Amino acid sequence: MSGSVAFEETTFGIATDSGTADAAAAIYDTADETDVKSVFSTAQSQAARDALLDGYRAVRQLTERLVEPLTAEDQMLQSMDDASPAKWHRAHTTWFFETFVLQPHQPGYCVFDEHYNYLFNSYYEAVGERHPRPERGILSRPTADTVTQYRRYVDAAMAELIARIDDAELTAIAPLLALGLAHEQQHQELLLTDIKHAFWRNPVSLAYQPPQAFTREPAAPLDFISFAGGIVEIGHDGHGFAFDNEGPRHRVLLNPYRIATRPISCGEYLMFMEDGGYSQAELWLSDGWATVQREGWQAPLYWSQDTRRDSGWQIFTLNGKRAIDPAEPVCHVSFYEAAAFATWAGKRLPTETEWEHAANSGRCEFRGSFLDRAHPHPRASVTPAGRLQMFGEVWEWTRSGYEPYPGFKPAAGAVGEYNGKFMVSQIVLRGGSCVTPPGHVRASYRNFFPPAARWQFSGIRLAEDA
């Protein structure tokens, strides 16, 4: 993992499966050429194969556990163009391994269904035509049970491939396996964000999991930590797995700055709302104000108020609807809302360089919550005084547009379409959220969404010039 952050998890997020952490960690190691040569030495060959297979199975099994609470009908839901049915997420991640690993590297491999290359391709132009994204919810066939069969078919072929091919070829495809598993973890998070939106749209109150009790405790005090800046390095350091958009590592001139110790809480955001934050045009970017007017925003997504009962603000969660907890991080806000709040507070959002520099400073406490199927919702900060909580709970909007780093070059072939083609009209988010699998993010990880997006678990961190 990059930087000096003391991560509690360094695997593909299989903390819920005892005994698989070390195995999954080997897949990260194999993404680095030097590590590959040591992992796949003759003496360690079988152990490396076992570790790869254990890590693969652990990630794939987590996807299946995430859909256990869902009915077949639930798995078909597509509540908006930006979301996808749970069934599609399961099939698409399977298609990735079938298309990019098995077909090129498993001699005689027979695809499960020739139509799936059209149905479950997401955006890979080099692979061929694809079903329109907004219409994924009309695909009643294949059924959820057939997708289960598809996953088992591909998983069996992957196990055979890992056991069969020689060390040199396994070394060559190990980075692709790492990419495929990191890709599936991204879809595990999307699966939960998408089903949350779908359940919220239902007029009958639904819950992905049973309600969870929570204790109303005050949030940790909001403080700011100063950094001197200077010429700093950001970007992945080359050790272990990273997506291509995290590099190359490069130097940046950073002015002195101060950054908040934790994300903004619901209680603090309520103050912004009560002060007329959604009605003051001067707080908003032009596009943001136009969006507020067009969409009628008055609160974060999933917030509601029953004025007939004077019950205060309610929030819809994957555990059902409940009262707002003022101490927990505000969540499901757009970049526009984050920027407006920062202006109202007399601060600004951090740049992604500031965020990464602070995360690597040695003052970061890795105490945020990541994916917990029983409680997929942000928790109040427990950051000790003078320390930073930079990871988990909510993705944090930065003030940086999603652009290529100096010297960035997409990978060759179809997988080169993974990140680079989206480097326009997007904003960078950092840190991971309560539905991000543990171990998936690192200090250099760059998430990105359009500025109006709110259905992701996105929140706010403040910064200012020092």
Side-chain angles (χ1 to χ4, degrees):
M1 309 293 285
S2 64
S4 59
V5 179
F7 284 94
E8 294 177 350
E9 301 291 343
T10 56
T11 74
F12 266 111
I14 325 299
T16 53
D17 292 323
S18 60
T20 63
D22 292 339
I27 298 193
Y28 270 127
D29 293 336
T30 58
D32 181 272
E33 183 177 356
T34 303
D35 293 335
V36 165
K37 291 178 180 178
S38 62
V39 169
F40 289 106
S41 63
T42 302
Q44 301 178 16
S45 177
Q46 189 56 51
R49 292 172 192 272
D50 292 343
L52 282 168
L53 185 56
D54 286 347
Y56 172 87
R57 285 172 171 164
V59 173
R60 299 280 287 168
Q61 289 166 3
L62 177 57
T63 302
E64 293 306 287
R65 287 199 304 279
L66 291 177
V67 299
E68 284 176 359
L70 304 180
T71 66
E73 291 81 4
D74 292 336
Q75 290 195 49
M76 277 195 61
L77 295 174
Q78 182 179 20
S79 55
M80 62 174 175
D81 289 357
D82 288 336
S84 296
K87 181 178 68 175
W88 188 92
H89 286 298
R90 297 172 62 219
H92 167 70
T93 51
T94 306
W95 169 89
F96 186 97
F97 287 107
E98 182 175 65
T99 301
F100 296 121
V101 180
L102 289 172
Q103 292 190 59
H105 299 285
Q106 179 76 303
Y109 176 78
C110 181
V111 298
F112 184 83
D113 189 309
E114 62 182 10
H115 298 100
Y116 286 9
N117 194 61
Y118 177 81
L119 294 178
F120 301 123
N121 179 5
S122 54
Y123 49 73
Y124 297 94
E125 300 284 353
V127 177
E129 296 182 353
R130 58 201 180 279
H131 186 75
R133 178 175 181 171
E135 298 179 6
R136 291 171 182 169
I138 69 172
L139 298 175
S140 60
R141 306 290 177 89
T143 65
D145 286 343
T146 303
V147 170
T148 299
Q149 296 171 18
Y150 180 38
R151 289 179 65 87
R152 290 173 178 169
Y153 178 85
V154 167
D155 288 347
M158 287 292 297
E160 180 182 349
L161 174 69
I162 292 171
R164 179 196 59 79
I165 63 176
D166 60 32
D167 289 353
E169 190 173 3
L170 190 55
T171 299
I173 69 169
L176 190 57
L177 291 176
L179 176 62
L181 293 178
H183 166 257
E184 180 140 354
Q185 287 192 312
Q186 290 178 319
H187 280 272
Q188 289 166 351
E189 180 166 354
L190 287 168
L191 190 155
L192 291 176
T193 58
D194 292 354
I195 199 63
K196 180 175 183 177
H197 190 268
F199 280 3
W200 171 70
R201 294 288 304 274
N202 194 312
V204 177
S205 182
L206 299 178
Y208 168 78
Q209 291 280 44
Q212 294 288 313
F214 69 97
T215 303
R216 288 180 177 271
E217 297 180 356
L222 183 65
D223 197 4
F224 286 78
I225 294 180
S226 298
F227 292 94
I231 297 177
V232 303
E233 287 192 349
I234 67 165
H236 193 253
D237 62 8
H239 296 291
F241 174 80
F243 291 111
D244 59 358
N245 66 353
E246 297 176 49
R249 190 165 179 83
H250 59 288
R251 294 189 296 175
V252 180
L253 176 60
L254 191 60
N255 291 326
Y257 69 97
R258 286 158 40 87
I259 194 165
T261 52
R262 60 161 173 80
I264 292 301
S265 70
C266 288
E268 290 157 345
Y269 198 83
L270 274 166
M271 295 172 62
F272 164 74
M273 293 166 55
E274 291 168 355
D275 196 39
Y278 280 91
S279 61
Q280 300 180 50
E282 63 271 20
L283 299 177
W284 296 78
L285 296 168
S286 177
D287 285 351
W289 183 244
T291 303
V292 167
Q293 300 301 296
R294 183 178 64 252
E295 302 295 333
W297 290 351
Q298 297 181 355
L301 185 65
Y302 302 130
W303 286 33
S304 62
Q305 196 171 31
D306 190 343
T307 56
R308 296 171 300 177
R309 300 180 181 179
D310 193 26
S311 58
W313 285 100
Q314 304 280 308
I315 185 171
F316 178 82
T317 78
L318 282 164
N319 298 106
K321 184 181 286 190
R322 63 163 171 77
I324 292 288
D325 177 2
E328 70 188 28
V330 67
C331 193
H332 298 294
V333 293
S334 67
F335 167 76
Y336 295 138
E337 290 162 296
F341 177 91
T343 299
W344 172 82
K347 309 292 183 182
R348 59 174 174 81
L349 302 180
T351 66
E352 65 170 324
T353 299
E354 290 170 338
W355 195 100
E356 184 172 331
H357 179 254
N360 278 329
S361 67
R363 303 187 70 175
C364 177
E365 290 289 333
F366 191 69
R367 293 178 179 268
S369 298
F370 286 93
L371 175 59
D372 174 0
R373 199 185 75 174
H375 188 93
H377 191 75
R379 293 177 170 89
S381 173
V382 293
T383 309
R387 308 297 289 178
L388 292 162
Q389 181 255 306
M390 304 288 289
F391 296 89
E393 308 302 355
V394 290
W395 286 102
E396 298 170 9
W397 290 105
T398 72
R399 198 57 178 84
S400 298
Y402 179 51
E403 298 287 344
Y405 285 159
F408 169 79
K409 294 181 180 178
V415 294
E417 299 184 57
Y418 198 87
N419 283 310
K421 65 192 290 182
F422 300 109
M423 290 176 171
V424 62
S425 304
Q426 312 268 354
I427 305 294
V428 173
L429 302 94
R430 295 294 193 117
S433 79
C434 58
V435 292
T436 303
H440 180 67
V441 296
R442 55 209 147 262
S444 60
Y445 194 107
R446 306 173 77 199
N447 199 357
F448 54 93
F449 281 99
R454 304 209 295 171
W455 94 108
Q456 293 301 317
F457 285 75
S458 48
I460 308 170
R461 183 181 298 272
L462 297 181
E464 63 182 357
D465 298 333

